[in-house]
Amino acid sequence: MSQTWLGIREEVHRRLRDGEWKPGDLIPSEAALSDEFNCARATVNRALQSLAEQGLLERKRKAGTRVAATPVPKAMFQIPLLRAEVEARGSTYRYLLLKKSRRKAPRNISARMKLESAANLLHIKALHFSGDTPYCLEDRWINPDVVDGLSDVDFSQTSANEFLLRNIPYTQGELSLGAREANAEHAELLDIPETSALFEMNRSTWLDGLPVTTVTLLFPPGYTLSTTL
Amino acid sequence: MSQTWLGIREEVHRRLRDGEWKPGDLIPSEAALSDEFNCARATVNRALQSLAEQGLLERKRKAGTRVAATPVPKAMFQIPLLRAEVEARGSTYRYLLLKKSRRKAPRNISARMKLESAANLLHIKALHFSGDTPYCLEDRWINPDVVDGLSDVDFSQTSANEFLLRNIPYTQGELSLGAREANAEHAELLDIPETSALFEMNRSTWLDGLPVTTVTLLFPPGYTLSTTL
DNA sequence: TAGAATATATTGTCTATACATATTCCAAGT
DNA sequence: ACTTGGAATATGTATAGACAATATATTCTA
């Protein structure tokens, strides 16, 4: 009776669900399981690695595989590419550059980018539309020392969001989500009442330790980020 | 020159970053790459699968591997287990049951749970504290037909969040994040001004097609969900 | 020419084996 | 007791070979 790695993952998953193996327990070794399921060890390995990636198991060489003490569920989200997201909903995407200037980064920005010296950065503000309604307000800082060909790009047509996601690589990044009350400027630009609750997404990226860009995206009420578990 | 799958992933990743292979392009077959890197095909396979999981590549049998047209980054988030999250920050966790009743599910709830008939559900409201400050407001509906031993649990001590995450399995789930303006009730319970922007997390789960539970967690301003890319 | 059958290329997965690497455990020596 | 060193063990990964599954491309047939 030969098994597929998906089948084995499913069976192990069931044992975890049913409490046959409880949090903190050491489960049988790959060798033992490959014997039980009558398959190669590599197949068991594939299944267990998959469950470990999801955070249900913790594996250590020699120490064996144990059920995660606090099985923290993990969820994958797709980071929106604004144009694609709008067009996927059948609306026409439009983009408006509000501001583009070169200036010293304020404190909070250089902190977010982990900049030592207050470098001269490119600051961009832009609005993204879905049809005629504002979809997202973008506030971005770019490090011109790291981004090649930046001066060639006139951000009145291509959005910085798109340009950077498509062309500029990064090796590390941080992403955080939260909520923020709209201020007067937000309210006017996004065409919503003041005090509305905005969905906020912050992303910063680095290339080999050098800060590339940091951006805040603000979405008007009603926007949701969804995924399946 | 034998290679590791991580090394190959890194090299392929570099070629994507540097634009040697552009979005939409077909990249060489596993056989060709394993030849170039002088390693087994399985090793290349491991590397490419890893990149495909991250959304950078799209693979199809016979059709080959191509660079994702719109490389949508994906990010993994850890779903908070409230107690663990609070304690990890060094605060003491406290929990207060506000309401527990059995009633017919209102429209929006049965829609969210994809319930056909308006079943009799258990409705729970609770507050989670970090030290003395409210940390999260929980509003949950539970399907007693699916959750075993529900009547044995007195939710005044154990939070429903904890009980369900630890004991009740599910096979499918949905998760969505958003922002919402606080109303009078939220403001009072969370001890914040009205009109504050709350971070909202909705989770619903099913077990083999049967609805298990749906919950809304509301977090006061300042709460963020973070991850690294 | 259009549609159906067939060939073919590419990824998906399994097997068996081997060695690498990290970690635990125990025994020996101080 | 304490350290040190090695043996044992579980996972991590690489290899070669095989077959399966699935698109695509080609050829055949009506």
Side-chain angles (χ1 to χ4, degrees):
Chain A
M1 171 193 50
S2 163
Q3 298 275 347
T4 72
W5 72 270
L6 283 166
I8 290 169
R9 187 180 69 177
E10 179 50 34
E11 170 60 15
V12 172
H13 191 75
R14 189 194 61 73
R15 293 184 189 180
L16 296 175
R17 282 203 309 260
D18 291 1
E20 291 180 29
W21 296 331
K22 295 188 198 309
D25 280 4
L26 200 62
I27 77 170
S29 73
E30 293 185 351
L33 288 173
S34 70
D35 192 39
E36 177 191 339
F37 293 126
N38 191 24
C39 66
R41 184 168 75 85
T43 308
V44 173
N45 184 279
R46 184 84 168 82
L48 296 188
Q49 288 212 13
S50 168
L51 289 168
E53 258 180 33
Q54 289 175 41
L56 274 72
L57 297 177
E58 283 166 3
R59 323 190 70 210
K60 262 201 318 210
R61 279 169 168 156
K62 163 71 183 179
T65 301
R66 46 183 72 247
V67 183
T70 63
V72 180
K74 293 178 183 173
M76 275 273 234
F77 285 92
Q78 297 202 339
I79 313 301
L81 233 175
L82 298 171
R83 170 192 293 278
E85 204 172 43
V86 166
E87 288 175 349
R89 305 187 331 173
S91 302
T92 51
Y93 170 80
R94 202 158 57 79
Y95 162 78
L96 178 63
L97 179 64
L98 298 174
K99 180 180 170 183
K100 179 181 159 192
S101 65
R102 202 122 175 179
R103 44 185 292 228
K104 278 216 159 34
R107 267 280 184 68
N108 62 331
I109 297 298
S110 45
R112 222 157 69 185
M113 298 179 83
K114 292 168 189 158
L115 266 172
E116 278 125 47
S117 56
N120 233 352
L121 301 181
L122 184 64
H123 183 208
I124 283 178
K125 278 195 186 184
L127 256 179
H128 303 260
F129 290 87
S130 169
D132 287 328
T133 54
Y135 185 73
C136 173
L137 176 59
E138 176 179 3
D139 186 320
R140 182 185 290 273
W141 295 80
I142 307 176
N143 185 351
D145 298 340
V146 177
V147 179
D148 282 351
L150 189 59
S151 46
D152 300 340
V153 186
D154 160 21
F155 285 108
S156 62
Q157 295 306 315
T158 323
S159 85
N161 183 15
E162 207 154 345
F163 171 73
L164 287 162
L165 270 182
R166 283 195 189 280
N167 301 299
I168 305 302
Y170 58 88
T171 50
Q172 309 138 53
E174 286 178 7
L175 182 64
S176 73
L177 307 173
R180 172 195 293 199
E181 207 171 328
N183 63 22
E185 186 195 359
H186 301 147
E188 192 198 328
L189 291 170
L190 289 170
D191 192 22
I192 50 172
E194 236 177 288
T195 79
S196 291
L198 305 179
F199 187 72
E200 176 178 6
M201 178 182 303
N202 270 286
R203 178 162 67 234
S204 305
T205 56
W206 291 265
L207 180 61
D208 301 323
L210 295 172
V212 176
T213 183
T214 185
V215 62
T216 300
L217 302 179
L218 291 174
F219 297 87
Y223 180 84
T224 60
L225 200 59
S226 302
T227 192
T228 58
L229 300 176
Chain B
M1 170 194 52
S2 163
Q3 298 275 348
T4 72
W5 72 271
L6 284 166
I8 290 169
R9 187 180 67 178
E10 179 52 33
E11 169 60 14
V12 171
H13 191 73
R14 189 193 62 71
R15 292 184 189 179
L16 296 174
R17 283 203 308 259
D18 291 1
E20 291 180 30
W21 296 331
K22 296 190 197 307
D25 280 4
L26 202 61
I27 77 170
S29 74
E30 293 186 352
L33 289 174
S34 70
D35 192 38
E36 177 191 339
F37 294 126
N38 190 24
C39 66
R41 183 168 77 86
T43 308
V44 173
N45 184 280
R46 184 86 167 79
L48 296 188
Q49 289 213 12
S50 169
L51 290 168
E53 258 179 32
Q54 289 175 41
L56 275 72
L57 297 176
E58 283 166 2
R59 325 190 68 211
K60 266 202 311 210
R61 280 171 164 149
K62 162 71 183 180
T65 301
R66 47 182 71 246
V67 184
T70 63
V72 180
K74 293 178 181 171
M76 276 274 237
F77 285 91
Q78 297 202 340
I79 312 302
L81 232 175
L82 299 171
R83 170 191 291 279
E85 204 171 43
V86 166
E87 287 175 348
R89 305 189 329 174
S91 302
T92 52
Y93 170 80
R94 203 158 59 78
Y95 162 78
L96 177 63
L97 179 63
L98 299 173
K99 179 180 169 184
K100 178 181 160 193
S101 65
R102 202 122 177 181
R103 45 185 291 228
K104 279 217 157 34
R107 267 279 184 69
N108 61 331
I109 296 299
S110 45
R112 221 157 69 186
M113 297 179 84
K114 292 168 189 159
L115 267 171
E116 277 126 48
S117 55
N120 232 352
L121 302 181
L122 184 64
H123 182 208
I124 283 177
K125 279 196 185 183
L127 255 179
H128 303 261
F129 291 86
S130 169
D132 287 329
T133 53
Y135 185 74
C136 173
L137 176 59
E138 175 179 4
D139 186 321
R140 182 184 290 272
W141 295 81
I142 307 176
N143 185 352
D145 298 341
V146 176
V147 179
D148 282 351
L150 189 60
S151 46
D152 300 339
V153 187
D154 161 20
F155 286 108
S156 62
Q157 294 307 315
T158 324
S159 85
N161 183 15
E162 207 154 345
F163 170 73
L164 287 163
L165 269 182
R166 284 195 188 282
N167 301 300
I168 306 302
Y170 58 87
T171 50
Q172 309 137 53
E174 287 178 5
L175 182 64
S176 73
L177 308 173
R180 171 195 296 198
E181 205 171 332
N183 62 22
E185 187 195 0
H186 301 147
E188 192 198 329
L189 291 171
L190 290 170
D191 192 22
I192 51 171
E194 235 176 289
T195 79
S196 292
L198 305 179
F199 187 72
E200 175 178 6
M201 178 182 303
N202 270 287
R203 178 164 65 236
S204 305
T205 56
W206 291 263
L207 180 60
D208 300 324
L210 295 171
V212 176
T213 185
T214 185
V215 61
T216 300
L217 302 178
L218 291 173
F219 297 87
Y223 181 84
T224 59
L225 200 58
S226 301
T227 192
T228 58
L229 300 177

